Amino acid sequence: MNIAETSAFAVGSDGELGALYEGLEAAELQPLWTITEELLTPTPRPAAVPWLWTFSTMKPLAREAIRLVPVGRGGERRVLALRNPGLGGRPYAVGTLWGALQCLGPREVAPAHRHTPGAVRFVLEGEGVWTTVDGDACVMRPGDLILTPSMQWHDHTNSGDQEMFWFDGLDLPMVQAMDGVFFERWPGPGESQPRPAERNASAARRVEGPRYTDDAVTGPLSPQPSQLLIYRWPETAAELERRGRKSDDPLVTIEYTNPRTGSSVLPTMACALHRVRGHSQAVRRAGNAVYVVFSGQGASVIDGQRFSWRPGDMFVVPSWSAVEHIATQADLFVLSDEPVLRALGIARRQVLPEPQQVTGEFHRSPRSGEGEIR
Ligand code: GTQ
Ligand code: FE2
């Protein structure tokens, strides 16, 4: 930083100012007046960029990983993390959220462990897997949402002869930012929890209260995760149908809720489902989101770039980026960090009056695997 620039309003000679800045530098002190504009931005400036990972690129690589890299102690999980190119090599989908494709081959078991970051799974393809969460075997089928809240033991078992693929979302970057990561391996006996006595027990237990709400959860904030760990696709679809019939909005949104409190499913992360049936309004939201295409084909315009998508594709909308969706009929799973912004009293949304001008198209060349904006 040039002294004349930083000192436009300073009094004193260049020599005195030079000595001051040298003194500050040597003392590990940073004068705020030299960094105000990059620190206190009028609106969020996420390092993460809008990006899309196609299932057609990810799945063959995941299948090669199934063939070549066994799952087990050490690696723990066969997970391909979405690595946002704006984040300087950090393995995060956006600054606050981990997003990944996880897969298990026939008869594979991912060993039990637990950690402070909480996780959600949204199932894309295959049958035969269950995730055991603190002794409760949660059977996973396409379209189901399964929760593994913070510090609950979890392992994944594929008892069938199909490969299985699902999306993982974790609040790992947030927990990391709080320097709050703790991780433990199952102490045994064995690598995973004993063959569970219970199956889908959290769903069988009658937890009173609605499991879905419209877009904005306004219920009391709860540090407790949902005790209901499974949200089945047929129930989600029925709720979408019901709400879809009552409105002609091109976007029907439901948020999964903790039935006991009416708040988000996990303290840090909200899960929602968008049914797109037309051209939605452009909106901005404070906080980051990861989208997973469950069904249908369409496109989203993010900050003027058009991203076309198909089932299994995953894309990210960084904080305060404008986004609108276009499809005849498509279902998108959405993971966001909005509960944290709500808890801090800084959640905000803005609906834009006009659709965005499309200034570019996002393409992934299947050859290089590199994304490209044209
Ligand atoms: O399935 O337990 O994508 O611990 C990242 C960390 C999945 C898991 C991830 C994990 C898991
Ligand atoms: Fe885990």
Side-chain angles (χ1 to χ4, degrees), residues 152-339:
Q152 302 199 4
W153 293 107
H154 55 284
D155 48 61
H156 314 299
T157 303
N158 187 347
S159 62
D161 45 23
Q162 286 177 39
E163 291 170 340
M164 181 125 176
F165 302 88
W166 67 88
F167 167 78
D168 285 325
L170 281 85
D171 55 10
L172 175 57
M174 292 188 246
V175 177
Q176 176 109 74
M178 311 307 293
D179 291 324
V181 175
F182 291 84
F183 173 87
E184 276 174 66
R185 299 204 157 107
W186 177 252
E191 288 206 337
S192 50
Q193 298 169 73
R195 201 180 160 77
E198 295 188 296
R199 259 180 122 72
N200 307 319
S202 79
R205 232 182 277 134
R206 284 312 308 171
V207 187
E208 296 303 327
R211 298 172 177 201
Y212 305 90
T213 182
D214 59 2
D215 194 10
V217 165
T218 49
L221 281 159
S222 160
Q224 297 308 316
S226 170
Q227 291 180 351
L228 176 68
L229 301 173
I230 313 173
Y231 296 75
R232 293 285 179 220
W233 175 250
E235 231 182 296
T236 307
E239 185 72 15
L240 280 167
E241 288 290 335
R242 207 172 59 75
R243 289 183 191 265
R245 277 197 299 272
K246 287 198 292 192
S247 113
D248 52 10
D249 198 296
L251 185 67
V252 181
T253 301
I254 56 175
E255 182 171 336
Y256 300 80
T257 54
N258 176 341
R260 194 150 280 169
T261 62
S263 51
S264 57
V265 289
L266 293 181
T268 49
M269 294 189 290
C271 293
L273 211 299
H274 280 342
R275 175 157 288 177
V276 188
R277 45 183 196 172
H279 191 147
S280 73
Q281 279 184 302
V283 296
R284 298 180 195 280
R285 199 180 59 78
N288 298 306
V290 184
Y291 287 70
V292 181
V293 183
F294 181 55
S295 68
Q297 289 182 36
S300 300
V301 181
I302 311 171
D303 280 347
Q305 288 160 34
R306 193 169 187 280
F307 293 76
S308 301
W309 38 252
R310 294 165 161 272
D313 291 358
M314 301 174 189
F315 62 95
V316 291
V317 179
S319 186
W320 214 243
S321 297
V323 61
E324 65 202 73
H325 310 290
I326 306 121
T328 312
Q329 169 89 14
D331 290 331
L332 307 175
F333 174 78
V334 195
L335 175 74
S336 82
D337 54 12
E338 199 164 28

Side-chain angles (χ1 to χ4, degrees), residues 35-104:
I35 53 168
T36 306
E37 305 220 322
E38 66 203 66
L39 224 48
L40 293 164
T41 56
T43 54
R45 254 180 240 165
V49 293
W51 201 258
L52 178 135
W53 295 260
T54 64
F55 198 52
S56 64
T57 302
M58 292 189 283
K59 189 178 172 182
L61 292 167
R63 298 194 69 200
E64 268 304 88
I66 290 177
R67 197 170 71 83
L68 300 174
V69 188
V71 70
R73 274 282 170 259
E76 303 281 319
R77 299 290 184 260
R78 195 184 296 98
V79 161
L80 306 178
L82 307 178
R83 191 182 68 199
N84 191 296
L87 294 177
R90 291 194 302 150
Y92 301 145
V94 279
T96 51
L97 297 169
W98 170 278
L101 179 67
Q102 180 160 177
C103 57
L104 271 186

Side-chain angles (χ1 to χ4, degrees), residues 77 113 115 121 154:
R77 299 290 184 260
H113 65 207
H115 37 70
R121 335 242 167 229
H154 55 284

